[in-house]
Amino acid sequence: MLPRYLLLCLIFLIPASASYTNDGFTYDGFSSGMLRFDGVASISSRALMLTDGVAQSVGRAFFGGRFDSISSFSTTFVFVISPPYSDLGGHGLAFTVSATTDSLLGASPSQYMGIFNPENNGNVTNQLFAVELDTIQNPEFRDINSNHVGIDVNTLVSINSHPAGYYTPDGNFTDLLLISGKPMQVWVDYDDSSHQVNVSLAPYLEQKPQRPLLSNTINLTSVLPRSVYVGFASATSTVRSIHRIIGWSFNPNGEAKPLNYSVLSEIIQDVRRDAQSRSHVPKGVLIPVIIVSVFITTVVIVAIYVYMKKARQSGDWEIDCGSASFTYKDLAAATNSFSDKMLLGKGGFGKVYKGLLQTSKQNVAIKRVSPESKQGMKEFIAEITILGHLHHRNLVQLLGYCRNKSELLLVYDYMPNGSLDRVLHGRDKQTVGWVHRFNIIKGIAAGLCYLHEDWEKVVIHRDIKASNVLLDNEMNGRLGDFGLARLHNHGTDAHTTHLAGTWGYIAPELSRLGRATKATDVFAFGVFMLEVVCGRRPIQVNDSDGEPVLLTDWVVDAWESGSILNTVDPKLEDYLSEEAELVLKLGLLCSHSAQSARPCMRLVMQYLSKDVLLPDYQPSFLSLTSRDEEFGQHILSCPSVAATMTGLSGGR
Ligand SMILES: *[C@@H]1O[C@H](CO)[C@@H](O)[C@H](O)[C@H]1NC(C)=O
Ligand SMILES: *[C@@H]1O[C@H](CO)[C@@H](O)[C@H](O)[C@H]1NC(C)=O
């Protein structure tokens, strides 16, 4: 196989197994002819492998040539989706017709199917038509069957969708399970004069159904430009299937040529063999092994059930956090029996110790949760369930946990440089320079963006502040302490029963309504950015009159009465004024009292990386409320960024 980097950037100009004429092309199996790959997509055993069973990945493949005029097009393809479990696989694949291949760059895995990302999903500018084969329950659109075929135009909210299956010649509907691991065929036909799109699905080697599964009228002339690319996109989440296309035929102006089933059948055989060899089980022992495993699984499930029931009754918890368990003995040995000498600090919920694991010689931080508080216990259980499944270089990694009676011990990566709070406000003369501070801000923005947008569930952090930012050995910032975080699904609000957070970082609507959202996290992050640049706490007592002053007000005052740069930490000698100004103005924008003015974290990252210019707003904008008329013209909130940006001058 070719190295991936070659596959990524090369368009092979000589067709191998493909025949390419003005009437389109036909792939009876794939070699690299005229294909363009992106993400994890590759060719394996003559099949086009869009995703290879790796979690959170995106794979795409396009036909390398652009079609300069498509009218009544037609396509058909044979695919196999091999899920990791017989009843669970994610996320699916889609046939796409798009204006560019670039528009799909930056597409997200999971429910965005490798076609869109949270920002562009729904934009008319996407100029994209897709037929999706969705195999997992999408948390955003709960009412939609998880095993469905849908027609998408510029958004993943399908124009029309139907549970997977087909109409037999006698008119009956027969269900099909997309993740059955069996090959199936799809047909997509568009008629340019009637604007009718038909989509059909059938088991491999069955006739094309007479009655299509989906039939819609869509004027694709108004959706797509004249020149388009055709291809496939696929994505996995933590649930990871292998998505393969076995054969594909496309005609831009007429009926797609039939596929050569005898060749395809050979490839399907190879794919099956490949799947079997992956499991390394010789055929002869397969059946006894299955029987024994079913028996063992049943016993284990019953045992777990009984145990859980008992555990619940006794008010105890068992946690699935995807992390290793440690024994109490391991952790006691690592910390000198929790000696005070190993104490790193005391948090809201208990003490944190430094430990050295005896077996791996790894330094860890061990958080010992105070057993006296029931609420604390609950919140820490939230923390482990979430943290154990999250992996990002700007999050403090939870390595595992240990339960000792009613006490919980959480084992984290040790952060040798302590918390940012200490560095910023400690008595040490030494401080972190501008390059590191800017880097920490960008890192925490990336970590928070991951929590808000990239993971399959939205995680609201709820307690962003300098003391929750820890520094690793390279002085990268990492977000820790998810004790207050709670899971909630994309698109639904998190209703909380009590107010959590730290004074100075709490958004006005949070204290009023008591509801934490992404926007309240962004508010706290804005205050945090100011804190890092100014080296001042969010609330500081005024030297002259002893009155408390909010950091945000203090920065706005300085800006209005001269220069915003007067607020930069005097300990910072080498800062870049352009960057400091950017962070200060962005910090103020994020902590705008009106939540609709705050940008989303992905946009914050783009501002920080200077990929998008921060709009040149005036300090007066910060005192506008969402009821003011001028306000509407300035709203920068996501996802309408692209539209509102053009009306604003981009300078800083
Ligand atoms: C769509 O299906 C209907 C019903 O079978 C058929 O009459 C129509 O011609 C089809 N349209 C296209 C574009 O294939
Ligand atoms: C389809 O869209 C094109 C471009 O927007 C437009 O010119 C044409 O009139 C539309 N056709 C119909 C039938 O609406």
Side-chain angles (χ1 to χ4, degrees):
M1 215 175 74
L2 278 164
R4 184 149 295 166
Y5 65 86
L6 260 184
L7 288 174
L8 260 169
C9 54
L10 272 189
I11 303 172
F12 294 85
L13 291 172
I14 306 150
S17 61
S19 53
Y20 172 46
T21 62
N22 286 341
D23 323 328
F25 56 82
T26 306
Y27 286 95
D28 294 309
F30 296 82
S31 59
S32 42
M34 290 271 317
L35 286 174
R36 179 190 283 227
F37 296 94
D38 193 1
V40 298
S42 66
I43 288 171
S44 162
S45 312
R46 287 188 289 162
L48 174 54
M49 193 149 89
L50 293 169
T51 67
D52 53 4
V54 172
Q56 298 290 1
S57 60
V58 170
R60 282 166 303 202
F62 297 93
F63 182 71
R66 191 176 62 183
F67 289 97
D68 283 326
S69 82
I70 66 160
S71 53
S72 295
F73 71 85
S74 139
T75 193
T76 183
F77 59 91
V78 171
F79 69 93
V80 179
I81 301 177
S82 316
Y85 313 103
S86 61
D87 59 346
L88 188 64
H91 248 270
L93 67 91
F95 164 74
T96 61
V97 184
S98 54
T100 64
T101 54
D102 301 342
S103 69
L104 304 189
L105 285 176
S108 304
S110 297
Q111 73 266 37
Y112 296 100
M113 206 75 99
I115 316 176
F116 301 114
N117 60 45
E119 245 79 90
N120 67 11
N121 187 15
N123 289 356
V124 185
T125 50
N126 289 338
Q127 300 194 301
L128 190 137
F129 165 84
V131 172
E132 60 165 52
L133 306 170
D134 200 340
T135 65
I136 203 162
Q137 186 79 39
N138 189 331
E140 235 166 308
F141 320 119
R142 273 163 180 279
D143 46 338
I144 292 176
N145 183 295
S146 58
N147 176 53
H148 72 262
V149 181
I151 297 177
D152 301 345
V153 171
N154 294 330
T155 161
L156 277 177
V157 184
S158 302
I159 287 179
N160 192 3
S161 72
H162 197 286
Y166 64 110
Y167 293 98
T168 53
D170 53 16
N172 289 330
F173 181 74
T174 306
D175 288 318
L176 285 175
L177 181 63
L178 295 171
I179 58 165
S180 62
K182 295 186 183 134
M184 290 175 211
Q185 186 165 359
V186 170
W187 295 263
V188 181
D189 301 288
Y190 176 67
D191 180 59
D192 197 33
S193 53
S194 64
H195 296 142
Q196 189 174 39
V197 183
N198 285 354
V199 178
S200 301
L201 174 73
Y204 179 60
L205 297 180
E206 295 261 344
Q207 290 285 324
K208 178 179 178 180
Q210 273 170 351
R211 178 173 167 196
L213 182 64
L214 296 168
S215 183
N216 274 74
T217 309
I218 306 165
N219 185 354
L220 286 183
T221 317
S222 63
V223 174
L224 297 166
R226 277 188 71 79
S227 305
V228 293
Y229 291 91
V230 291
F232 295 96
S234 176
T236 61
S237 59
T238 42
V239 197
R240 40 190 199 260
S241 298
I242 302 177
H243 298 92
R244 289 188 182 89
I245 307 290
I246 312 292
W248 177 28
S249 171
F250 176 84
N251 187 343
N253 307 299
E255 195 168 343
K257 299 248 157 50
L259 297 165
N260 182 340
Y261 295 106
S262 62
V263 179
L264 299 194
S265 296
E266 280 171 27
I267 300 170
I268 290 165
Q269 285 299 321
D270 288 349
V271 166
R272 285 216 181 102
R273 240 171 265 136
D274 179 52
Q276 269 162 18
S277 68
R278 271 175 202 239
S279 57
H280 294 294
V281 182
K283 262 190 187 153
V285 297
L286 202 58
I287 289 171
V289 164
I290 290 174
I291 293 170
V292 171
S293 351
V294 166
F295 177 74
I296 294 176
T297 315
T298 314
V299 170
V300 169
I301 289 173
V302 169
I304 290 176
Y305 177 76
V306 169
Y307 179 78
M308 293 273 285
K309 214 169 160 196
K310 251 178 127 177
R312 270 207 208 104
Q313 279 162 356
S314 66
D316 247 336
W317 306 72
E318 192 52 40
I319 309 127
D320 160 40
C321 70
S323 309
S325 286
F326 294 90
T327 65
Y328 185 77
K329 238 172 89 188
D330 291 340
L331 302 185
T335 53
N336 248 332
S337 303
F338 297 100
S339 117
D340 277 349
K341 279 198 198 116
M342 307 298 275
L343 199 60
L344 287 171
K346 250 179 167 175
F349 294 99
K351 295 174 174 175
V352 185
Y353 294 85
K354 182 181 174 180
L356 177 67
L357 293 178
Q358 302 296 312
T359 44
S360 60
K361 299 286 170 229
Q362 184 185 4
N363 276 320
V364 291
I366 300 170
K367 195 181 271 179
R368 200 172 179 179
V369 183
S370 317
E372 55 264 23
S373 144
K374 253 194 184 162
Q375 186 58 27
M377 183 62 117
K378 261 209 241 153
E379 280 174 345
F380 268 99
I381 282 159
E383 175 167 10
I384 6 186
T385 359
I386 299 165
L387 252 192
H389 286 112
L390 297 173
H391 298 276
H392 190 275
R393 59 190 297 263
N394 297 107
L395 298 179
V396 179
Q397 184 63 48
L398 176 74
L399 301 173
Y401 69 97
C402 159
R403 213 185 50 178
N404 183 41
K405 292 173 197 138
S406 59
E407 181 184 47
L408 271 177
L409 299 142
L410 307 177
V411 184
Y412 293 93
D413 254 348
Y414 175 67
M415 295 290 122
N417 288 313
S419 87
L420 180 62
D421 182 64
R422 267 200 223 169
V423 179
L424 285 180
H425 309 299
R427 284 196 208 117
D428 304 1
K429 278 276 170 299
Q430 207 189 354
T431 184
V432 260
W434 176 252
V435 175
H436 279 129
R437 287 199 202 188
F438 192 44
N439 187 42
I440 289 164
I441 288 173
K442 285 196 277 193
I444 297 304
L448 190 55
C449 185
Y450 171 78
L451 295 180
H452 282 187
E453 322 259 345
D454 292 342
W455 200 52
E456 67 220 78
K457 308 255 183 169
V458 171
V459 178
I460 307 290
H461 186 284
R462 287 162 199 256
D463 204 11
I464 308 238
K465 55 181 175 181
S467 57
N468 273 342
V469 170
L470 299 162
L471 302 170
D472 66 15
N473 49 7
E474 287 162 352
M475 294 299 277
N476 292 308
R478 288 179 183 232
L479 204 44
D481 208 348
F482 287 71
L484 301 168
R486 277 191 195 64
L487 280 178
H488 73 111
N489 287 325
H490 275 277
T492 55
D493 279 328
H495 293 277
T496 58
T497 47
H498 69 285
L499 184 62
T502 302
W503 288 114
Y505 297 94
I506 295 176
E509 79 274 10
L510 176 59
S511 59
R512 222 173 38 240
L513 305 170
R515 202 176 69 190
T517 60
K518 289 188 202 176
T520 58
D521 267 0
V522 171
F523 182 95
F525 181 73
V527 176
F528 165 79
M529 280 195 277
L530 299 179
E531 182 176 3
V532 175
V533 179
C534 304
R536 267 173 76 109
R537 292 193 184 278
I539 303 179
Q540 194 145 324
V541 175
N542 211 339
D543 288 338
S544 52
D545 54 11
E547 286 293 312
V549 182
L550 279 177
L551 178 56
T552 40
D553 293 344
W554 185 71
V555 175
V556 175
D557 284 349
W559 187 6
E560 280 178 329
S561 62
S563 171
I564 198 168
L565 288 175
N566 290 340
T567 62
V568 176
D569 190 347
K571 282 197 239 168
L572 281 174
E573 283 155 4
D574 58 342
Y575 71 92
L576 287 175
S577 47
E578 193 196 335
E579 285 178 353
E581 190 177 330
L582 166 68
V583 178
L584 287 167
K585 290 185 178 172
L586 181 56
L588 289 176
L589 193 61
C590 287
S591 49
H592 197 293
S593 56
Q595 48 175 319
S596 52
R598 298 173 206 153
C600 70
M601 285 313 296
R602 192 169 302 281
L603 184 55
V604 169
M605 278 172 70
Q606 287 168 341
Y607 287 145
L608 289 171
S609 63
K610 298 164 205 160
D611 289 340
V612 176
L613 286 184
L614 186 70
D616 199 8
Y617 70 92
Q618 295 304 310
S620 60
F621 174 64
L622 296 165
S623 51
L624 295 181
T625 69
S626 46
R627 284 196 207 95
D628 290 321
E629 248 170 46
E630 278 169 88
F631 182 83
Q633 299 159 14
H634 284 83
I635 288 188
L636 306 155
S637 65
C638 296
S640 54
V641 195
T644 51
M645 278 307 295
T646 48
L648 294 158
S649 71
R652 243 175 286 130

